[in-house]
Amino acid sequence: MAFEYFGHNIPETHEERLARGTALVVVDLQRDFVHPAGHCAKSMDVSYISRVVPANARLVSLARQHGIPVIYTLVTQHSEGAYASPRWIADNLRYPNFEPVHCIEGTWGWQLHDEITATSGDILLRKYRRSAFVGTNLVDLLHTLRVETLIVSGVAATGCVESTVRDAIEHDFFVVVPADCIGDATLELVQAACASFERMLLPGDLTDSSRLADALSRTHHS
């Protein structure tokens, strides 16, 4: 049960944290990253990372069922590099045969994967670095929505997802990660991310979509 400590009410259980005002943040499920015709598929195998798309589609439906706001982040680059930096470009160039011209704003590849459909009630958040909190109004948006707990999913598990989770914690949000809804280039990378999340999240908050659905059924009304 929740308890008082230093004048604060602390939710003790996974279910109590989910009941505190929850939003779903779906990280970067854009065609350039996870579609076989996207930019990344030109230089690397995206067959494994793309497997996470159907699970995220189901997770979005689950969130809507329980009245949970859905926020999609979109990596956004300027067609002439105005949003980039030498460090950002150098980091992307370290991957063999990969040019850092993915997710150019307004292009086909910048848009969400075909299986992930945003409705008028969803929020599309442009982001310019790995973390969804860097250079965006996400914190203000979440405070306006009275959110205390984030469910974070998407890609890549060891990149933008992990960066967003870490920054969410530093901004004092509780974080829940359904492991079957995060993707990366290989199983080993997803496992590495889950090992990190196991250490940084509170007990029960590294979960899967099935257990999350059960928890939400106990804490949210449809």
Side-chain angles (χ1 to χ4, degrees), residues 157-169:
T158 56
C160 294
V161 173
E162 185 167 343
S163 294
T164 296
V165 168
R166 288 183 182 276
D167 277 1
I169 293 169

Side-chain angles (χ1 to χ4, degrees), residues 41-52:
K42 297 175 183 178
S43 58
M44 61 186 71
D45 183 2
V46 299
S47 60
Y48 189 80
I49 196 171
S50 66
R51 295 179 187 181
V52 78

Side-chain angles (χ1 to χ4, degrees), residues 36-207:
H39 178 76
C40 288
K42 297 175 183 178
S43 58
M44 61 186 71
D45 183 2
V46 299
S47 60
Y48 189 80
I49 196 171
S50 66
R51 295 179 187 181
V52 78
V53 174
N56 273 270
R58 294 189 294 271
L59 182 63
V60 168
S61 295
L62 177 67
R64 290 180 181 147
Q65 175 188 339
H66 292 287
I68 294 172
V70 179
I71 301 169
Y72 299 98
T73 73
L74 298 166
V75 169
T76 301
Q77 297 205 74
H78 190 275
S79 59
E80 297 182 7
Y83 305 151
S85 71
R87 180 63 178 84
W88 175 262
I89 293 170
D91 189 60
N92 281 269
L93 286 173
R94 66 194 174 100
Y95 298 103
N97 304 314
F98 182 74
E99 294 291 329
V101 291
H102 54 278
C103 300
I104 301 298
E105 187 168 9
T107 63
W108 176 88
W110 174 74
Q111 297 170 358
L112 292 169
H113 188 279
D114 307 70
E115 294 183 41
I116 306 296
T117 304
T119 68
S120 59
D122 297 337
I123 297 167
L124 299 178
L125 182 77
R126 289 165 172 79
K127 74 179 181 71
Y128 308 95
R129 295 297 182 267
R130 287 184 177 83
S131 170
F133 290 89
V134 173
T136 74
N137 68 335
L138 182 56
V139 171
D140 291 338
L141 176 63
L142 294 172
H143 287 164
T144 298
L145 294 171
R146 295 183 173 85
V147 168
E148 295 185 44
T149 298
L150 298 182
I151 302 167
V152 180
S153 67
V155 301
T158 56
C160 294
V161 173
E162 185 167 343
S163 294
T164 296
V165 168
R166 288 183 182 276
D167 277 1
I169 293 169
E170 294 305 314
H171 283 89
D172 294 328
F173 294 99
F174 298 107
V175 181
V176 173
V177 176
D180 58 324
C181 296
I182 58 172
D184 214 310
T186 65
L187 172 62
E188 290 74 20
L189 288 172
V190 174
Q191 291 173 332
C194 287
S196 293
F197 294 146
E198 190 69 61
R199 291 190 295 269
M200 74 177 77
L201 300 181
L202 295 172
D205 287 350
L206 178 62
T207 184

